Amino acid sequence: MYKLLLCWRYLRTRWIALASVISVTLGVATMIVVNAVMAGFSHEMQTRIHGILSDLVFESHSLSGFQDPAWHMEEIRRAAGDDVVGMTPTVAVPAMLNYQVRGQWITRQVMLIGIDEATHAGVSDFGRYLQHPANRGQLSFELREGGYDTVDSQAGGEEPTRPALEGAGWPHRRMRVERERLWREKLEADRATDPAGGDRASGGGEPVRSVDRQVDAVLAATDAAAREAAVEPPARPADPFRQARPAEQGTRMDPAKEQFTGAVPGIGLASFRDASGTDRFLVLPGDDVKVTFPTAGTPPKAISDTFTVVDFYESKMSEYDSNFVFVPIATLQKMRGMIDPQSGLASVNSIQIKLRSGADLDVVRDRLRKAFPADLYAVATWKDKQGPLLAAVDMEMAVLNILLFLIIAVAGFGILAIFFMIVVEKTRDIGILKSLGARAAGIAGIFLGYGLFLGLVGAGAGLALGLAIAANINRIRAGVEWCTGQRVFDPSIYYFFKIPTIIDPLTVGWIVAGAVGIAVASSVLPALRAARLQPVEALRHD
Amino acid sequence: MTSATLESPGAVAVPAPPASLLTVRSLRKRYRSGDKVLEVLRGVDFDLAPGEFVSVIGQSGSGKSTLLHLMGLLDGADAGSVHLAGRRIDDLPGRDRDRLRNTDIGMVFQAYHLLPELTALENVLAPLMVRHGLWAWCRERSEARRQATDLLKRFGLGERLHHKPRQLSGGEMQRVAIARALVGGPRLLLADEPTGNLDAESGGGILDVLAALNRSEGLSIVLVTHDASIARRADRIVRLVAGRVETA
Ligand SMILES: Nc1ncnc2c1ncn2[C@@H]1O[C@H](COP(=O)(O)OP(=O)(O)O)[C@@H](O)[C@H]1O
Ligand SMILES: [Mg+2]
């Protein structure tokens, strides 16, 4: 009984011991926050990756792919049994994406993926990542009349962060075609009046012509960015793709009424996020882009074609969002020459497989590996595909945890030192207690109990602090950004608006138990020393 | 245990109550500090009858405290034995020695040795808290408090129950220490120069208290002092000289 009383009385007079509690608290809080954020990132990343990749990917090693996906699907279904709930073929080739911004050709290295618009959304979360509500229901490579989301459908929020998508679709396309036509006319008119070439600067005193007013009227209806683009010197370089597409020379299409083959580029290829969090677009649905990719033959030849952007893909994994361009698989197969002219059978690179929920991916993967020759086909789960990345995250988490746990261990040494001090200081009291009949175990119990108390208080406070920080991390981030004027967390890198956190009760439990354990463990040595004190020595100590 | 053996039907004869409460035989103690060996006690024989008040007198450094610590089981002797009420106590295991210190022996020191963090009342209660576990203490608490309060009142400290030791005078602290020594109901009180740090008046008060306890309750007391005038308050005086006891 005296142990409790003395513990309490010592505590009340030894605030210095509470100092070591603070380091326990900070250690525990940091560990909780870091683990929550890491788990949040890891989870976010896994769902993203899993949303992008199907459960299993069955692919050929060769860029030309394998023939007759229907037969392969039959075989896969036979090998994997009832676990398969959906399959879709894809063709993936490295490619180059080109589009024009203010007269400049911008080139991006991309992965061009031919997908089956009917079935692709069935094997992954592909549909969820599109910007037009109707496409999220069922993807169509036909350009929509409008209605693209101006608010990020995944992040939520009221404020439109993508005002540019307001007029995207056919209206934007018509506007653009009209603008181009007017420019062309103006250019021709300029040439007619001034045969030296459209040097407007020299003719400063010229009266405003009707065509200029017409152009201005059109420009006024478009947004500021578009106007900036439009007032660029109109002398566009000759379209370098014109020669690349001799076949198209003859076919005349009306771009205001017709579109090229639809394409869905990753949003990162077409936009960037400015400091205010608004997405600025270089290309909008309705604009045309050029894509250059290799044919399926050997050796592969580069071919180019024009596609019309019909939507954007945004998985929020910047690695994918700035790399993927989706186009209809049939068109791609035809363009790459992947259709056998004799049999009419098309080739594909891979088959994406969705399994019923609860199926063991690794088991099905191994079954498929057994069923198909490994030198021709590769079968991988989505986790295999991202194995190094996921392993790196786990590794990072482990290392961080070790480092942070060392903070708590340091706090433990603090407790050790302070307790030794108290034992020395209280030597006489320990002797008194022994002379009153206190047992050695009882004396040790005072110090162990004291350590336990410090551990519990420290870990408890750390738990509360850590949970509070984790729960309010985004508000704290905003506060820090406001104070320092520095971006702590750049959403344009991660494509998250918020720092994700996940509190795992088991992890938190281990952290708290570890901290309490360290506090108790570091009071063991002083406690033993106190217990071993000879009462006579202690009483003579003054 | 002892009483059970005594009352068992097999026992032929019930021995007479021991003539001696405390019996010390050929007690030896030497201190080793470096190479030097200091032989403090060289075969001490000492007897204390129940209800007796004995003074042990000797010069400073003669080993009086050492002897008292050995009798109070705070330290171990190099040779010899200590019996309490006929039972050898100096070779008991640590646990039993702890219990004996708590229940049978009360000790008072020159430097009072109160716990500074506890109030006078809590200091007096400390031996009972040490004795009882948490649950037993909850049961015994009010009774123990009453007992401790009574003792303190008896020693004129009724107004000082909740003072910390540093708020008390030397004489008051020593009276708290005596109350603490008595609260467990010991058979033997060992006092090591209890008046050594006190002025004549409060020292006299302490001696009056001890004498009164001896007279009214028959408490057996060993009083250690270097002062002959103080020693005279006892029934009997023994002198500790050159590591041995000689009757004065
Ligand atoms: N732990 C110890 N180590 C060495 N010498 C000691 C120790 N304790 C006591 N002494 C010595 O033993 C002698 C007797 O001490 P003590 O019993 O305190 O004497 P008294 O109480 O009669 O003054 C003294 O000379 C003292 O210095
Ligand atoms: Mg002494």
Side-chain angles (χ1 to χ4, degrees):
Chain A
M1 171 54 215
Y2 65 100
K3 298 165 220 159
L4 281 179
L5 182 69
L6 285 173
C7 267
W8 176 236
R9 286 298 155 83
Y10 282 7
L11 270 179
R12 281 210 330 208
T13 52
R14 294 290 172 283
W15 292 112
I16 179 89
L18 286 177
S20 58
V21 162
I22 293 172
S23 43
V24 175
T25 301
L26 291 181
V28 167
T30 324
M31 275 189 84
I32 289 177
V33 172
V34 166
N35 273 286
V37 172
M38 293 288 281
F41 268 95
S42 173
H43 179 260
E44 196 80 1
M45 231 165 61
Q46 294 213 14
T47 36
R48 296 269 160 83
I49 293 168
H50 194 192
I52 294 155
L53 304 170
S54 59
D55 293 331
L56 284 179
V57 180
F58 176 92
E59 56 192 344
S60 72
H61 293 308
S62 107
L63 200 58
S64 327
F66 50 86
Q67 270 200 350
D68 200 357
W71 176 83
H72 281 88
M73 286 190 202
E74 270 313 302
E75 288 296 306
I76 287 169
R77 206 176 281 283
R78 192 170 310 148
D82 299 335
D83 283 340
V84 175
V85 295
M87 278 187 279
T88 187
T90 59
V91 171
V93 281
M96 279 196 315
L97 175 75
N98 297 276
Y99 53 84
Q100 220 176 6
V101 177
R102 298 171 77 179
Q104 293 284 317
W105 280 101
I106 292 181
T107 304
R108 296 282 174 89
Q109 186 182 324
V110 298
M111 181 58 76
L112 188 65
I113 302 178
I115 59 170
D116 176 17
E117 59 189 276
T119 57
H120 194 76
V123 300
S124 66
D125 289 341
F126 177 78
R128 264 201 331 160
Y129 298 147
L130 299 174
Q131 306 308 308
H132 196 286
N135 281 344
R136 285 204 289 274
Q138 173 59 55
L139 171 67
S140 158
F141 280 108
E142 302 292 319
L143 185 61
R144 305 269 177 184
E145 191 49 54
Y148 292 90
D149 287 332
T150 52
V151 175
D152 184 342
S153 65
Q154 293 171 72
E158 316 282 289
E159 204 62 19
T161 53
R162 293 166 178 175
L165 287 181
E166 173 87 54
W170 278 113
H172 171 74
R173 186 174 181 81
R174 283 192 290 269
M175 186 82 75
R176 184 176 57 81
V177 169
E178 178 66 6
R179 211 163 53 221
E180 276 171 6
R181 191 181 59 79
L182 287 171
W183 269 118
R184 213 160 26 241
E185 278 174 12
K186 184 171 183 243
L187 204 65
E188 273 154 23
D190 281 352
R191 277 217 191 88
T193 52
D194 180 10
D199 187 2
R200 288 200 295 154
S202 65
E206 273 182 66
V208 180
R209 286 166 313 206
S210 68
V211 65
D212 283 343
R213 242 179 268 125
Q214 234 179 312
V215 169
D216 288 343
V218 171
L219 293 183
T222 61
D223 59 65
R227 185 170 340 155
E228 276 173 40
V231 295
E232 281 291 298
R236 286 192 176 186
D239 186 346
F241 290 91
R242 190 137 296 166
Q243 295 93 319
R245 276 186 289 120
E248 232 185 69
Q249 293 289 51
T251 57
R252 289 203 70 71
M253 67 174 271
D254 178 2
K257 295 204 177 65
E258 291 170 73
Q259 66 166 90
F260 297 97
T261 310
V264 179
I267 198 160
L269 289 167
S271 76
F272 60 92
R273 184 160 293 160
D274 68 13
S276 65
T278 306
D279 285 321
R280 310 292 290 267
F281 287 86
L282 304 171
V283 169
L284 285 174
D287 283 327
D288 293 339
V289 295
K290 322 274 181 189
V291 182
T292 309
F293 49 91
T295 58
T298 314
K301 283 194 274 295
I303 54 168
S304 291
D305 210 329
T306 306
F307 291 83
T308 298
V309 174
V310 296
D311 205 337
F312 290 124
Y313 171 79
E314 185 183 25
S315 65
K316 306 230 179 235
M317 280 285 284
S318 62
E319 189 194 334
Y320 296 103
D321 292 347
S322 52
N323 195 29
F324 286 172
V325 177
F326 297 94
V327 294
I329 188 168
T331 315
L332 189 60
Q333 282 167 327
K334 200 158 74 215
M335 290 171 175
R336 291 193 66 214
M338 292 175 93
I339 298 171
D340 190 327
Q342 268 120 52
S343 60
L345 289 174
S347 298
V348 301
N349 286 128
S350 72
I351 296 174
Q352 315 280 322
I353 306 167
K354 184 178 176 59
L355 301 184
R356 68 173 168 77
S357 63
D360 189 335
L361 302 186
D362 292 346
V363 168
V364 178
R365 176 198 60 194
D366 293 342
R367 254 187 270 156
L368 290 181
R369 280 183 179 171
K370 223 174 281 166
F372 292 90
D375 46 352
L376 291 183
Y377 303 100
V379 188
T381 66
W382 67 274
K383 277 187 179 157
D384 298 338
K385 285 253 165 196
Q386 289 298 329
L389 181 59
L390 298 180
V393 170
D394 282 351
M395 176 80 181
E396 211 172 305
M397 216 152 150
V399 169
L400 261 176
N401 272 327
I402 291 170
L403 290 180
L404 291 173
F405 210 72
L406 286 181
I407 294 180
I408 303 181
V410 168
F413 280 105
I415 292 179
L416 188 86
I418 289 171
F419 275 27
F420 262 121
M421 222 177 68
I422 294 179
V423 169
V424 170
E425 194 192 322
K426 291 284 160 197
T427 299
R428 201 177 63 108
D429 293 20
I430 294 165
I432 295 169
L433 284 168
K434 289 200 162 170
S435 79
L436 296 177
R439 306 210 41 232
I443 302 284
I446 293 178
F447 287 90
L448 289 178
Y450 198 9
L452 179 68
F453 179 86
L454 293 189
L456 285 176
V457 168
L463 177 68
L465 185 66
L467 293 182
I469 292 178
N472 295 296
I473 189 140
N474 285 293
R475 231 167 291 159
I476 293 169
R477 168 178 62 92
V480 170
E481 281 173 2
W482 183 81
C483 284
T484 62
Q486 287 270 322
R487 274 210 100 99
V488 175
F489 173 83
D490 188 354
S492 61
I493 296 174
Y494 299 102
Y495 275 85
F496 312 149
F497 281 95
K498 295 185 289 185
I499 302 175
T501 55
I502 291 179
I503 305 278
D504 175 20
L506 191 71
T507 312
V508 170
W510 273 113
I511 293 168
V512 169
V516 174
I518 281 190
V520 173
S522 37
S523 58
V524 164
L525 278 180
L528 283 181
R529 186 182 156 151
R532 293 220 184 100
L533 275 180
Q534 287 300 317
V536 179
E537 306 286 319
L539 285 175
R540 283 189 194 263
H541 180 101
D542 270 307
Chain B
M1 249 271 266
T2 325
S3 62
T5 331
L6 292 178
E7 281 156 26
S8 69
V12 180
V14 177
S20 169
L21 176 69
L22 185 70
T23 312
V24 173
R25 287 290 171 265
S26 5
L27 210 56
R28 288 174 175 277
K29 180 75 181 174
R30 59 164 76 96
Y31 291 113
R32 222 169 260 108
S33 50
D35 305 335
K36 282 211 311 215
V37 174
L38 182 64
E39 202 151 12
V40 182
L41 302 182
R42 317 170 178 218
V44 171
D45 295 313
F46 176 79
D47 288 280
L48 182 73
E52 205 180 6
F53 183 0
V54 175
S55 286
V56 176
I57 193 168
Q59 288 183 332
S60 187
S62 58
K64 308 179 297 290
S65 295
T66 304
L67 176 60
L68 209 68
H69 290 155
L70 291 176
M71 296 196 286
L73 302 181
L74 289 177
D75 204 353
D78 296 322
S81 64
V82 180
H83 286 74
L84 184 69
R87 175 182 173 214
R88 185 160 181 188
I89 57 170
D90 63 313
D91 60 353
L92 289 173
R95 196 192 180 102
D96 296 335
R97 290 154 61 112
D98 290 337
R99 181 163 309 133
L100 268 175
R101 276 208 297 276
N102 186 260
T103 56
D104 289 36
I105 303 168
M107 296 187 87
V108 179
F109 304 93
Q110 179 176 1
Y112 326 122
H113 287 335
L114 298 177
L115 293 166
E117 260 96 7
L118 305 187
T119 64
L121 181 61
E122 285 164 344
N123 262 291
V124 175
L125 287 171
L128 298 176
M129 291 196 224
V130 167
R131 185 179 303 175
H132 299 297
L134 187 55
W135 298 123
W137 176 247
C138 291
R139 251 185 293 115
E140 305 282 330
R141 204 179 110 96
S142 53
E143 169 62 20
R145 280 182 78 96
R146 197 189 52 74
Q147 211 179 318
T149 313
D150 283 355
L151 264 173
L152 284 170
K153 279 186 181 153
R154 207 171 120 194
F155 296 157
L157 294 167
E159 307 294 309
R160 298 261 185 258
L161 296 180
H162 301 294
H163 286 61
K164 293 276 174 70
R166 72 185 124 76
Q167 299 166 310
L168 300 175
S169 73
E172 286 168 333
M173 281 197 270
Q174 197 58 290
R175 277 178 277 162
V176 172
I178 295 174
R180 181 178 68 184
L182 294 178
V183 77
R187 309 195 220 187
L188 176 64
L189 184 69
L190 305 174
D192 188 355
E193 309 219 30
T195 60
N197 286 6
L198 299 176
D199 58 82
E201 198 187 328
S202 28
I206 294 298
L207 292 174
D208 292 342
V209 166
L210 291 181
L213 284 167
N214 173 253
R215 237 177 300 115
S216 60
E217 273 150 55
L219 183 69
S220 314
I221 301 175
V222 177
L223 172 70
V224 157
T225 178
H226 64 272
D227 187 335
S229 62
I230 291 166
R232 271 198 289 281
R233 299 291 299 260
D235 302 341
R236 183 160 68 90
I237 301 177
V238 297
R239 192 175 295 275
L240 190 59
V241 181
R244 290 213 175 79
V245 165
E246 42 189 58
T247 310

